[in-house]
Amino acid sequence: MVAAKVLGFGFAFCRIPSIVRLFSLLLKIKFLKMNYHFQAHRQVRRNLLQLLQDNSLQDLLLIPDGFNNNMYWNIAHTVATQQLLCYYLSGNPFRIDKYWIETYKKGTLPNLAVPQSEVDDLAFLLTETSKILMKDYDADFFTDYTPYTTSFGLDLKNIQDAIIFNNMHESLHFGYAMAQKRAILGEKF
């Protein structure tokens, strides 16, 4: 008790372990709260990967009537946007080559001459960028965040908001890609 008073603490050292336990519990709650959102992200990415792998390169690059992009662009766009929402807005370096950002960010047009090697790279990125995001989050990599209002009208104030919105955004583009797949199937018959 004397040491606590000498150091200027208004509590005894015997209480410090309970403060440490409380802090540890709060950290666990923070990560458990986001665990569902990371599980959802991995599932959306598995769905996108399945779509990428189940379609021919020709179908992935075909722009169906009534659409202004293709399945491949929608899938690659999710990877680029995740990097912008989570890494760029938190002031951190991208975890992927800038090529993906510049080629598939919002406002870009679909590339109709994609080699199979790029499709293979995208398959890898779909899985790995999801894992890396979770590891970076667990390591408190995202200490700062620049608030951002999405074109959807939602305000992102921190990395948690960005991760949750990103899941919605990726699900939206998965839906677009599925609609494109159905349109392509209809065009073939």
Side-chain angles (χ1 to χ4, degrees):
M1 185 74 154
V2 173
K5 288 183 180 177
V6 170
L7 294 173
F9 297 115
F11 53 86
F13 279 122
C14 62
R15 293 187 185 168
I16 289 177
S18 36
I19 291 171
V20 170
R21 282 192 301 272
L22 178 61
F23 182 71
S24 176
L25 179 62
L26 290 173
L27 282 177
K28 286 179 185 176
I29 290 170
K30 171 189 169 190
F31 294 118
L32 286 175
K33 180 180 170 190
M34 290 303 294
N35 193 42
Y36 172 81
H37 299 291
F38 287 118
Q39 288 175 358
H41 188 247
R42 284 191 306 272
Q43 185 58 52
V44 172
R45 289 293 182 89
R46 280 192 291 270
N47 294 343
L48 289 165
L49 179 61
Q50 191 71 48
L51 190 61
L52 185 70
Q53 293 174 334
D54 286 352
N55 288 280
S56 69
L57 183 56
Q58 180 182 357
D59 283 352
L60 288 169
L61 299 178
L62 180 66
I63 300 175
D65 289 340
F67 292 91
N68 60 3
N69 55 38
N70 53 35
M71 285 189 283
Y72 186 80
W73 185 90
N74 276 292
I75 297 168
H77 174 71
T78 65
V79 172
T81 301
Q82 179 223 34
Q83 295 291 301
L84 289 165
L85 291 173
C86 296
Y87 291 89
Y88 177 76
L89 290 174
S90 65
N92 289 306
F94 296 129
R95 297 298 200 194
I96 62 175
D97 191 280
K98 282 188 178 181
Y99 164 83
W100 294 95
I101 311 298
E102 293 165 2
T103 308
Y104 297 105
K105 67 184 176 184
K106 182 180 178 178
T108 59
L109 298 173
N111 181 359
L112 301 178
V114 174
Q116 183 61 48
S117 60
E118 184 179 311
V119 177
D120 297 340
D121 289 345
L122 179 57
F124 175 80
L125 289 175
L126 282 168
T127 302
E128 291 306 307
T129 54
S130 184
K131 291 177 187 176
I132 292 167
L133 176 65
M134 189 170 81
K135 286 179 185 174
D136 286 344
Y137 182 83
D138 287 346
D140 282 330
F141 189 68
F142 305 103
T143 54
D144 296 320
Y145 197 83
T146 302
Y148 176 73
T149 301
T150 68
S151 57
F152 198 77
L154 290 175
D155 293 327
L156 308 181
K157 297 179 186 94
N158 53 50
I159 190 61
Q160 292 84 3
D161 290 350
I163 291 167
I164 293 166
F165 175 77
N166 184 66
N167 285 352
M168 184 177 74
H169 177 262
E170 291 192 12
S171 296
L172 177 75
H173 283 279
F174 174 67
Y176 287 149
M178 290 298 295
Q180 290 169 328
K181 179 179 179 174
R182 287 186 190 100
I184 290 168
L185 289 173
E187 288 176 7
K188 287 184 177 179
F189 296 103

